[in-house]
Amino acid sequence: MTVIAAPDKTGSGFPLGFDTILDPSPLQYLDEHGALSGALRDDVPELDPKELLATWRAMVIGRRFDVQATTMVRQGRLAVYPSSFGQEACEIGAILALRPTDWFFPTYRDCVSMVTRGIDPVQTLTLLRGDWHCGYDSQVWRTAPQCTPLATQAPHAAGLALAAKLAGDDTVALAFCGDGGTSEGDFHEALNFAAVYQAPAIFFVQNNQYAISVPLAKQTHAAALAHKAVGYGMAGVRVDGNDVIAVRRVVAEAAERARRGQGPTLIEAVTYRMQAHTNADDATRYRDESEVEYWKVRDPLARLETYLRAAGLLGEDVVAEANQAAEDLANDMRSRLGEEPEVDHRDLFRHVYAEPTPQLLEQAAALQAELDAEADAESEAAR
């Protein structure tokens, strides 16, 4: 278990317990068989059955959303879709640990998190459909637009967190990132800034073992990404990213630390990208099927379901209701995303500047003239 305390410095300048924080074993409550982890069995907090069932239900719906979105890419209804199949413990556990007033900074792979937060599925997928905006009101949902460039959302989260601290709010900013993003300069700058100013931020790295085709071993030689927290002087935790109970608890504790003024936390969630990077990727070119099979038995949804059934908490009526809710969501996605969107070419020029520049007005006029000419030509041909 890796739990790195906030720097409590001795005269040497090193955090206390330096030798113990380098244990790379991830924090875990449920093992791959859905049983309470032996090392932590006596330390498990009181588990609320209603909370566990609500978490499982959200995972069922999130996975069905993911499968449906993947299908709609193949049908040409989405331009691209980066799947998070198999990463539901991260996508859902972390979000359920937040308050509605907290801010979330997602990557392009985090649609399931956004749907779990309550954002309309079609609005969630608007950007990936090829639209010019993110589809939802970021202020209403306290969810920033999805970022495709790696780690660029991390400095945004650090800045918002500091602004909240200066304003006296108890808002926490949660930024998602992949293991590949930890090699970016934006990641370093965000964590260093947040640590220096003790900003109430959480940097949640979904270590799914690959950045497109680049394996983790090419990203870092460190035993764990969570150990980077030591260099920044912040708290760090390595958690089993397929154990939703552990993920939720770790993020909740990091959020409470931040609200108490104890600064940011780096969380590394060890998980696996079950699908290809996107629909444009062929994962068989760089990884072996035996590796995928190894992770299949560590599926986060099956793990929690096994635990709930063994505990006598998951009845068939509950399963039927969750599955029906998931199918209803998928049906709604098919129906609404099957409709051609209404496109207004003037949207290309709106919201670019508060006051349109002469060049922008010239471009808008040129496009309008071209469209008018096409319309006149079609009208003339129809006569």
Side-chain angles (χ1 to χ4, degrees):
M1 175 177 67
T2 299
V3 180
I4 305 173
D8 181 8
K9 296 184 177 179
T10 63
S12 64
F14 289 104
L16 294 175
F18 187 81
D19 292 336
T20 63
I21 62 178
L22 297 183
D23 174 10
S25 304
L27 175 68
Q28 182 187 77
Y29 285 109
L30 288 183
D31 65 19
E32 62 267 30
H33 306 295
L36 292 178
S37 177
L40 296 169
R41 190 175 295 121
D42 298 331
D43 187 42
V44 174
E46 189 68 30
L47 300 177
D48 183 351
K50 290 184 178 179
E51 181 179 288
L52 291 176
L53 287 172
T55 301
W56 172 83
R57 185 179 186 275
M59 293 175 74
V60 170
I61 292 173
R63 176 161 293 185
R64 186 65 185 91
F65 166 89
D66 186 270
V67 170
Q68 187 59 55
T70 299
T71 300
M72 302 200 83
V73 171
R74 300 186 181 119
Q75 296 172 343
R77 294 298 177 182
L78 296 176
V80 66
Y81 180 72
S83 171
S84 59
F85 190 103
Q87 296 178 220
E88 292 88 356
C90 296
E91 292 285 307
I92 292 164
I95 287 299
L96 293 181
L98 296 182
R99 295 178 182 175
T101 53
D102 293 330
W103 270 83
F104 175 45
F105 292 80
T107 74
Y108 53 82
R109 197 177 298 281
D110 301 320
C111 289
V112 169
S113 289
M114 293 155 61
V115 171
T116 301
R117 189 139 220 230
I119 300 174
D120 178 88
V122 174
Q123 292 183 0
T124 295
L125 293 168
T126 295
L127 182 66
L128 300 177
R129 199 177 189 182
D131 209 317
W132 64 273
H133 65 90
C134 68
Y136 53 90
D137 189 325
S138 294
Q139 293 287 340
V140 169
W141 291 105
R142 296 203 163 215
T143 300
Q146 290 172 281
C147 273
T148 299
L150 297 187
T152 56
Q153 71 281 5
H156 303 164
L160 186 140
L162 178 58
K165 177 181 178 180
L166 295 175
D169 297 339
D170 64 354
T171 298
V172 171
L174 169 67
F176 274 8
C177 180
D179 47 287
T182 64
S183 294
E184 297 290 333
D186 294 85
F187 179 83
H188 160 72
E189 291 153 10
L191 270 68
N192 192 56
F193 182 93
V196 167
Y197 291 101
Q198 289 293 280
I202 303 170
F203 301 97
F204 188 92
V205 179
Q206 293 192 60
N207 175 8
N208 64 13
Q209 313 303 315
Y210 287 94
I212 309 182
S213 61
V214 180
L216 181 65
K218 299 294 185 181
Q219 298 291 345
T220 182
H221 192 61
L225 295 172
H227 293 163
K228 293 178 181 288
V230 176
Y232 295 112
M234 66 168 64
V237 182
R238 195 171 202 235
V239 64
D240 184 339
N242 285 11
D243 177 358
V244 71
I245 296 176
V247 169
R248 186 166 181 172
R249 184 184 182 191
V250 163
V251 175
E253 289 183 348
E256 289 310 306
R257 287 187 70 261
R259 292 187 220 284
R260 292 195 299 265
Q262 293 177 279
T265 300
L266 171 62
I267 298 173
E268 176 193 1
V270 182
T271 182
Y272 191 75
R273 197 194 73 211
M274 297 299 298
Q275 306 292 343
H277 174 67
T278 67
N279 50 294
D281 176 41
D282 179 7
T284 63
R285 298 178 62 185
Y286 53 83
R287 68 183 187 187
D288 192 79
E289 185 61 26
S290 62
E291 180 180 305
V292 180
E293 291 297 322
Y294 171 84
W295 283 94
K296 278 184 180 179
V297 299
R298 288 156 177 77
D299 180 82
L301 179 55
R303 183 184 302 198
L304 180 59
E305 183 167 327
T306 298
Y307 173 77
L308 292 174
R309 287 187 181 277
L313 298 174
L314 193 61
E316 292 307 317
D317 56 333
V318 176
V319 173
E321 187 280 328
N323 287 336
Q324 186 60 56
E327 287 305 316
D328 290 345
L329 178 139
N331 289 335
D332 181 62
M333 289 171 63
R334 285 194 296 271
S335 174
R336 294 165 59 201
L337 286 170
E339 300 172 356
E340 292 296 332
E342 294 184 8
V343 178
D344 185 346
H345 65 276
R346 291 169 295 186
D347 283 344
L348 289 169
F349 308 99
R350 292 180 175 136
H351 312 302
V352 180
Y353 295 99
E355 292 293 334
T357 64
Q359 294 86 351
L360 197 66
L361 293 172
E362 181 181 348
Q363 293 168 14
L367 177 59
Q368 186 64 58
E370 184 176 337
L371 293 174
D372 290 343
E374 288 182 2
D376 290 343
E378 291 175 0
S379 178
E380 185 66 28
R383 291 178 184 175

